[in-house]
Amino acid sequence: MPAVFSPIQDRVRDLLRGHRASLRTRRYATAAFNPPAVAAEAIEVTGADGTRLRVHAYGPADGPVVVLVHGWTCCLEYWNPQINAFAGDYRVVAYDLRGHGGSDLGPVPPTPDLLADDLGAVLAAVLRPGQRAVLVGHSLGGMTIQAWAARHPGQVTERAAAVVLTNTAPGNLIAETTVLPVFNRGTVSLPHGLGRWGLAAQLLFPPIPPVRWVFRRQVMTLASTGDVADFALSIVRSCPAAVRGMFGLLLGDLALGRAAENLTVPTTVIAGDRDDLTPPVHSRRLVEMLTRTGSLDTYRVLRTGHLGNVEAYAEFNAELARVLVAAHHSAEATA
């Protein structure tokens, strides 16, 4: 390509990068969705393969630590409703999965092992010797926590005080998703190739009424309106389409098996009763594994779609507050 196009391409990339950043930092009438009033501390973290990760910490440096791991096509700002609720009393750490938000993509396609190692690197950077965190993972973030527990089982009791898995699964996503009409709702199964193609599609989400309606109907619920829907769609739109497609392929092939059985600390599972992306069949499977190992804390089903901690942030925060208090009291008792 002629060199004259290079400055133009660079300018377009800069504009798109700035636009995506603006989508992550919008302000809303609902204060819970706004950028945290508490200043973020940027923490330098590099993955095992040299990939730079964007990591932010909020709240008192000596507070109990909670680490938030977002899902597919999101970013650390997805957790604003939780950061705003807990950063006054806790050290709240959130980071962008590789390729998302402000984190680099890395030199090779993402794998569960890479995501597991990234989480391990974040924990090593933010925890003091002997300190343990409450880990909270949504969707792909919950799968990342499972992958980390399987790849680094010795780190689970060393670095985790408790775990919350929300709107997530151990695998088999294509065979059990109900995000498309008709498929997987009875006798008609979604062909694996078609599902994989859909997940890998580099979809765009222009903020026009038909797209907003489909997003609410298939990803959230039609009860999600106003700031809830606007915030969620802005967060998802902030992800580059190429990254969305690349990680979609990872999800299509994901098979974590019994990885959750390595979560040997109190683990809470939260599902959405109208979640079409990861229907409750997945959460029930996780509950069965955790029950067998004796680490299940609580199982909650909220009246939400896939973005439960946004759609029902007050209920989600109440459950997270319970987990945080229990973990903190347990840590004090064993100190």
Side-chain angles (χ1 to χ4, degrees):
M1 183 173 291
V4 69
F5 287 108
S6 182
I8 297 175
Q9 290 175 321
D10 291 344
R11 177 58 176 161
V12 170
R13 280 194 290 266
D14 289 343
L15 288 172
L16 289 174
R17 192 177 296 113
H19 175 62
R20 288 193 289 266
S22 72
L23 289 171
R24 300 195 299 265
T25 56
R26 288 184 172 180
R27 301 192 66 84
Y28 302 86
T30 304
F33 301 132
N34 286 334
V38 178
E41 175 190 345
I43 300 175
E44 292 188 11
V45 178
T46 302
D49 64 346
T51 299
R52 183 192 60 82
L53 302 176
R54 175 177 174 245
V55 183
H56 284 180
Y58 306 83
D62 59 349
V65 180
V66 52
V67 176
L68 308 173
V69 192
H70 70 75
W72 182 38
T73 80
C74 293
C75 55
L76 66 84
E77 284 84 2
Y78 173 76
W79 295 107
N80 280 355
Q82 286 68 54
I83 297 169
N84 284 316
F86 295 103
D89 299 310
Y90 294 88
R91 179 71 160 173
V92 183
V93 176
Y95 72 99
D96 290 332
L97 297 180
R98 56 176 57 215
H100 294 70
S103 289
D104 293 342
L105 179 59
V108 297
T111 65
D113 283 350
L114 281 174
L115 298 181
D117 289 346
D118 288 347
L119 174 56
V122 171
L123 295 176
V126 303
L127 295 177
R128 299 187 300 273
Q131 190 177 33
R132 300 190 299 161
V134 172
L135 309 183
V136 185
H138 169 259
S139 191
L140 179 58
M143 299 166 198
T144 295
I145 292 173
Q146 293 173 66
W148 165 77
R151 186 164 169 81
H152 304 288
Q155 294 183 13
V156 175
T157 55
E158 177 186 350
R159 294 182 173 175
V163 170
V164 177
L165 302 175
T166 183
N167 300 98
T168 192
N172 209 32
L173 297 176
I174 292 174
E176 292 173 323
T177 180
T178 53
V179 74
L180 295 178
V182 179
F183 291 113
N184 296 342
R185 298 172 185 268
T187 59
V188 183
S189 298
L190 176 63
H192 185 81
L194 177 60
R196 198 169 184 273
W197 174 84
L199 286 168
Q202 297 186 18
L203 298 176
L204 300 175
F205 293 91
I208 58 177
V211 171
R212 289 170 57 85
W213 186 90
V214 170
F215 182 82
R216 289 168 54 227
R217 172 63 184 82
Q218 303 305 119
V219 178
M220 306 174 78
T221 73
L222 292 178
S224 298
T225 59
D227 286 349
V228 175
D230 290 344
F231 171 75
L233 184 56
S234 291
I235 291 295
V236 169
R237 289 179 60 220
S238 74
C239 180
V243 171
R244 184 176 295 118
M246 186 178 297
F247 276 79
L249 280 176
L250 181 152
L251 289 169
D253 297 331
L254 189 75
L256 295 173
R258 305 168 76 89
E261 293 184 356
N262 290 283
L263 293 170
T264 51
V265 296
T267 301
T268 292
V269 179
I270 301 176
D273 66 348
R274 289 168 285 178
D275 184 347
D276 287 321
L277 288 170
T278 52
V281 62
H282 294 294
S283 61
R284 291 194 294 269
R285 191 170 295 127
L286 291 170
V287 165
E288 290 171 3
M289 295 183 207
L290 295 166
T291 299
R292 283 196 295 268
T293 59
S295 53
L296 178 68
D297 181 352
T298 301
Y299 178 41
R300 289 284 309 277
V301 181
L302 303 179
R303 293 188 57 79
T304 69
H306 187 60
L307 308 182
N309 60 294
V310 170
E311 297 174 64
Y313 64 88
E315 292 175 76
F316 183 90
N317 287 353
E319 186 62 32
L320 179 54
R322 181 194 66 80
V323 172
L324 291 170
V325 169
H328 184 48
H329 286 172
S330 177
E332 288 183 330
T334 56

